[in-house]
Amino acid sequence: MDKLNLEAEFPHPENISYLNHAAVAPWPVRTAHAVKAFAEENAKLGATHYEGWVATETKLRQQLQQLLNAPAADDIALLKNTSEALSVVAYGISWRKGDNVVISDQEFPSNRIVWESLSEQGVEVRQVPLDSAKTPEDALIENTDGRTRLLAISSIQYASGLRMNLAPLGEYCRQHEILFCVDAIQSVGALSLDVRAISADFIMADGHKWMLGPEGLAVFYCPAASRDMLRLNQYGWHMVEHLNDYDRKTWEIARSARRFECGSANMLGIHALNASLSLLEELGIERIQRLVLANAVYLMDKLGERSDVELLTPRQDGRFGGIVTFRRQGVDMGELFRHLRSNGVICALRGGGIRFSPHFYTRREAMDRALALALD
């Protein structure tokens, strides 16, 4: 897709520098059009063409399967958010008193609170510092033992932007019969993520960040080998094998990951995310990754020119994604954040620093404007 079309998809005002895709992303124009069309159809015809809606749902599962390189579309569940998917895992496992879960000390609350809530079942949570002399992966592995049931990690840490090397973690977990759970919300849509290459048991990611979709819809990858490990805690008409056979008096749990979807689908969100992912498909995730990483490098290079700037995001190849977080010496970061926001730089205050997170389409002019305001 050429520059002109990208500008048509993201017609941001010149006085706005949107560098907050690690929080909530703007929609492409095609997504707004899809939502409008869905709303207008519903207002005029209701569910007259519900079969077409289901076809869009089926297409979305296939899009997500391809984006993750999942073995099958049946491995994809559509849930409300990452937190729900994490809870499906946490409360689906049959824990034993004395079991432990290994996480990092940098996790977003969603990937910490859910495991801490298991303390009533006698489960220990080990929060591992990632800034030691060892590699982050070695630090996590060295904190596992014979009672470790699960290792849960974010693919990219939300505050520092640290990118994990997931493949060796997945291989270690597979060899030691430890379940491997990845919160991939800061990767999917920005970087290539191959669920088979990293030997993941569970992966979850909301659509409203790098996938450029709406809030209220997330992907939960749970392959066939992992599905039967999880006890269900929610039941309803949508999670049965014989879907839409309402008069059947007997039922069985769906063999696919649809078993985790107890009720009606978020059809509005499905139409929106389907449209957003069609844009990512047109560009290809490899091209998107190159552009995202190039934007991160550009920001880090510019910030690195200043002696009063401390980069909180690691600069080594393979250790960063789309997030660049920094702080300025002698400057109140809260005040700087408010200054940026009041001047149209949409960013975040995370981990004691300013977090910029441009996407593939972000113009160099927008980043330059944000840098000028941040470093003035």
Side-chain angles (χ1 to χ4, degrees):
M1 180 175 288
D2 60 31
K3 182 179 180 182
L4 177 62
N5 286 334
L6 280 181
E7 290 180 348
E9 288 284 1
F10 300 98
H12 295 162
E14 291 184 2
N15 61 343
I16 294 292
S17 294
Y18 203 95
L19 306 179
N20 208 26
H21 296 85
V24 178
W27 294 353
V29 165
R30 68 177 67 191
T31 303
H33 288 168
V35 168
K36 181 181 179 182
F38 181 86
E40 289 178 346
E41 176 190 331
N42 204 321
K44 293 176 182 178
L45 301 173
T48 300
H49 301 303
Y50 196 85
E51 290 182 358
W53 300 1
V54 174
T56 301
E57 176 188 347
T58 299
K59 173 60 176 175
L60 177 59
R61 293 182 197 274
Q62 294 168 346
Q63 289 173 305
L64 291 166
Q65 174 201 353
Q66 293 166 7
L67 188 60
L68 298 175
N69 193 32
D74 279 352
D75 299 327
I76 302 298
L78 303 175
L79 301 185
K80 294 192 295 293
N81 46 55
T82 304
S83 296
E84 181 184 31
L86 286 164
S87 291
V88 166
V89 175
Y91 283 85
I93 295 171
S94 296
W95 300 96
R96 299 179 295 267
K97 187 175 181 179
D99 286 345
N100 68 70
V101 175
V102 172
I103 66 174
S104 83
D105 65 347
Q106 297 186 21
E107 297 303 312
F108 189 75
S110 296
N111 200 29
R112 173 178 53 81
I113 292 172
V114 68
W115 311 116
E116 291 177 336
S117 73
L118 298 171
S119 61
E120 295 179 353
Q121 300 184 44
V123 177
E124 175 194 2
V125 177
R126 298 179 175 179
Q127 296 189 48
V128 178
L130 298 182
D131 55 359
S132 65
K134 304 180 180 67
T135 69
E137 296 76 26
D138 285 343
L140 291 166
I141 287 171
E142 290 179 9
N143 277 272
T144 65
D145 60 23
R147 295 305 305 271
T148 302
R149 291 287 301 283
L150 182 141
L151 191 156
I153 193 69
S154 293
S155 57
I156 295 177
Q157 294 302 327
Y158 79 102
S160 70
L162 170 66
R163 179 178 170 187
M164 303 298 298
N165 187 357
L166 297 172
L169 288 175
E171 178 63 17
Y172 175 85
C173 288
R174 187 184 64 80
Q175 291 179 354
H176 293 80
E177 298 183 346
I178 297 170
L179 295 172
F180 186 38
C181 180
V182 180
D183 176 348
I185 196 170
Q186 297 295 359
S187 291
V188 181
L191 306 180
S192 176
L193 180 67
D194 186 334
V195 298
R196 286 185 272 190
I198 65 174
S199 304
D201 293 292
F202 315 107
I203 288 183
M204 53 283 294
D206 274 276
H208 67 266
K209 298 184 188 292
W210 303 95
M211 283 188 273
L212 304 172
E215 292 185 285
L217 187 61
V219 58
F220 175 42
Y221 163 73
C222 188
S226 302
R227 289 197 281 274
D228 288 335
M229 299 180 187
L230 300 180
R231 178 182 62 251
L232 295 181
N233 292 287
Q234 299 183 96
Y235 291 81
W237 70 274
H238 197 261
M239 46 72 68
V240 298
E241 180 62 27
H242 300 283
L243 184 64
N244 298 326
D245 188 353
Y246 307 119
D247 294 327
R248 179 184 287 264
K249 300 304 180 183
T250 60
W251 57 274
E252 59 182 298
I253 295 169
R255 289 187 286 272
S256 71
R258 183 167 49 78
R259 65 176 61 188
F260 303 113
E261 306 167 11
C262 65
S264 298
N266 175 4
M267 283 297 181
L268 180 61
I270 284 168
H271 279 71
L273 188 56
N274 165 249
S276 295
L277 292 187
S278 73
L279 175 60
L280 302 188
E281 286 178 321
E282 288 178 23
L283 274 78
I285 194 62
E286 292 78 14
R287 180 182 176 190
I288 289 170
Q289 174 168 306
R290 288 196 300 270
L291 293 170
V292 167
L293 294 179
N295 282 340
V297 168
Y298 180 78
L299 288 174
M300 289 191 287
D301 284 348
K302 292 295 184 180
L303 291 166
E305 294 173 359
R306 291 282 295 259
S307 61
D308 63 334
V309 169
E310 177 189 3
L311 272 176
L312 304 182
T313 301
R315 295 197 56 166
Q316 302 97 315
D317 287 345
R319 285 303 184 190
F320 62 87
I323 290 172
V324 175
T325 307
F326 66 95
R327 65 166 65 105
R328 285 184 60 189
Q329 298 173 8
V331 175
D332 184 289
M333 289 296 98
E335 291 184 5
L336 179 56
F337 171 69
R338 289 185 288 274
H339 170 67
L340 290 168
R341 293 282 296 199
S342 66
N343 283 278
V345 177
I346 312 304
C347 57
L349 183 64
R350 298 288 188 272
I354 300 297
R355 186 184 72 183
F356 287 165
S357 50
H359 213 320
F360 67 89
Y361 67 87
T362 305
R363 296 188 300 273
R364 190 64 53 86
E365 296 82 2
M367 292 187 286
D368 286 339
R369 181 174 176 275
L371 287 166
L373 288 163
L375 301 176
D376 182 23

